[in-house]
């Protein structure tokens, strides 16, 4: 624990995040794959997924501290490591891209970036999982929210309907179904107000 802090006093949220980042950096120093090295010239290929995981977790901590730019940089590094380790289209990359879309959707004037990340994630998830998986529905819903903010009513409603179809097949009384129905109502209401 940091100097002067006892276990009984605990750590502040900010101190916990700083400690996490310090620990990630220490682990990174022990087992980091240098992407500038050729894969044939190194024994460190086994560390590629771990490097990706570290970058992903670092991004999550940056997100918790409100540092969207640092989070996006860490997530981009994670996606690159996962692509090197597992190929371009894999579930790790799809999850990172989805997360990057969420970060951008919460950042002012980044809706088009968010939509790009969601579309890429959606493409990978559909190709690997098919069109009826709840992860596909999550990305459909998130991208529908962004499309609605961009005043693209028809495209937004199309994705909301597709997400709802998948969610209803899994459970008709889930929180996800309620959230999607609420999003559809808000999208419809804002479209009517926008077109008046």
């Amino acid at each position: 624990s940091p100097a002067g802090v006892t276990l009984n006093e605990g750590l502040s949220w900010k101190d916990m995040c700083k400690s996490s980042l310090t620990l990630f950096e220490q682990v990174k120093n022990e087992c980091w794959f240098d992407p500038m090295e050729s894969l044939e010239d190194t024994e460190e290929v086994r560390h590629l997924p771990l490097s990706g995981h570290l970058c992903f977790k670092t991004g999550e901590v940056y997100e918790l501290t409100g540092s969207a730019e640092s989070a996006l940089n860490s997530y981009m590094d994670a996606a690159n490591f996962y692509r090197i380790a597992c190929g371009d289209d894999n579930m790790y990359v799809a999850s990172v891209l989805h997360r990057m879309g969420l970060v951008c959707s919460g950042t002012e004037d980044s809706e088009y970036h968010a939509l790009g990340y969601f579309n890429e994630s959606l493409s990978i998830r559909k190709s690997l999982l098919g069109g009826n998986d709840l992860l596909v529905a999550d990305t459909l819903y998130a991208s529908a929210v962004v499309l609605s903010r961009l005043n693209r009513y028809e495209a937004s409603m199309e994705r909301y309907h597709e997400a709802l179809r998948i969610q209803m097949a899994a459970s008709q009384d889930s929180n996800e179904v309620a959230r999607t129905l609420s999003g559809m109502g808000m999208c419809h209401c804002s479209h009517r107000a926008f077109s008046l």
Side-chain angles (χ1 to χ4, degrees), residues 13-105:
W13 181 253
K14 187 176 180 179
D15 288 337
M16 285 192 303
C17 289
K18 281 183 183 178
S19 293
S20 295
L21 291 172
T22 301
L23 288 171
F24 291 154
E25 194 63 32
Q26 289 172 355
V27 172
K28 177 179 160 182
N29 291 336
E30 292 295 319
C31 62
W32 192 251
F33 172 77
D34 184 355
M36 302 310 283
E37 288 186 40
S38 168
L39 289 176
E40 292 80 30
D41 298 338
T42 183
E43 295 290 320
E44 302 302 318
V45 175
R46 68 184 183 279
H47 296 312
L48 275 167
L50 180 57
S51 296
H53 297 329
L54 279 171
C55 289
F56 186 79
K57 289 299 180 188
T58 301
E60 287 180 325
V61 172
Y62 279 128
E63 238 187 292
L64 291 171
T65 63
S67 181
E69 186 175 338
S70 294
L72 287 170
N73 289 336
S74 292
Y75 288 145
M76 185 60 73
D77 289 342
N80 290 334
F81 282 124
Y82 290 143
R83 283 184 171 118
I84 294 168
C86 308
D88 285 339
D89 294 343
N90 65 76
M91 287 307 297
Y92 291 125
V93 170
S95 294
V96 172
L97 291 168
H98 180 89
R99 196 73 190 189
M100 291 173 76
L102 292 173
V103 170
C104 286
S105 69

Side-chain angles (χ1 to χ4, degrees), residues 27-191:
V27 172
K28 177 179 160 182
N29 291 336
E30 292 295 319
C31 62
W32 192 251
F33 172 77
D34 184 355
M36 302 310 283
E37 288 186 40
S38 168
L39 289 176
E40 292 80 30
D41 298 338
T42 183
E43 295 290 320
E44 302 302 318
V45 175
R46 68 184 183 279
H47 296 312
L48 275 167
L50 180 57
S51 296
H53 297 329
L54 279 171
C55 289
F56 186 79
K57 289 299 180 188
T58 301
E60 287 180 325
V61 172
Y62 279 128
E63 238 187 292
L64 291 171
T65 63
S67 181
E69 186 175 338
S70 294
L72 287 170
N73 289 336
S74 292
Y75 288 145
M76 185 60 73
D77 289 342
N80 290 334
F81 282 124
Y82 290 143
R83 283 184 171 118
I84 294 168
C86 308
D88 285 339
D89 294 343
N90 65 76
M91 287 307 297
Y92 291 125
V93 170
S95 294
V96 172
L97 291 168
H98 180 89
R99 196 73 190 189
M100 291 173 76
L102 292 173
V103 170
C104 286
S105 69
T107 306
E108 194 171 321
D109 297 326
S110 294
E111 284 89 0
Y112 287 104
H113 292 291
L115 188 57
Y117 293 131
F118 286 137
N119 285 341
E120 194 174 350
S121 176
L122 184 61
S123 174
I124 294 170
R125 284 180 169 179
K126 279 185 171 181
S127 77
L128 296 176
L129 301 171
N132 296 315
D133 192 271
L134 288 173
L135 290 173
V136 171
D138 286 345
T139 304
L140 285 164
Y141 170 82
S143 62
V145 170
V146 172
L147 286 164
S148 179
R149 286 189 203 148
L150 293 171
N151 296 315
R152 294 178 52 194
Y153 175 76
E154 290 83 12
S156 177
M157 290 303 283
E158 184 179 311
R159 291 201 179 180
Y160 276 129
H161 280 285
E162 192 175 349
L164 186 62
R165 176 190 59 77
I166 297 166
Q167 294 163 342
M168 292 285 286
S171 173
Q172 294 186 5
D173 61 352
S174 69
N175 290 335
E176 290 78 16
V177 168
R179 181 185 67 176
T180 300
L181 289 170
S182 175
M184 292 171 83
M186 290 188 315
C187 177
H188 183 69
C189 185
S190 65
H191 172 69

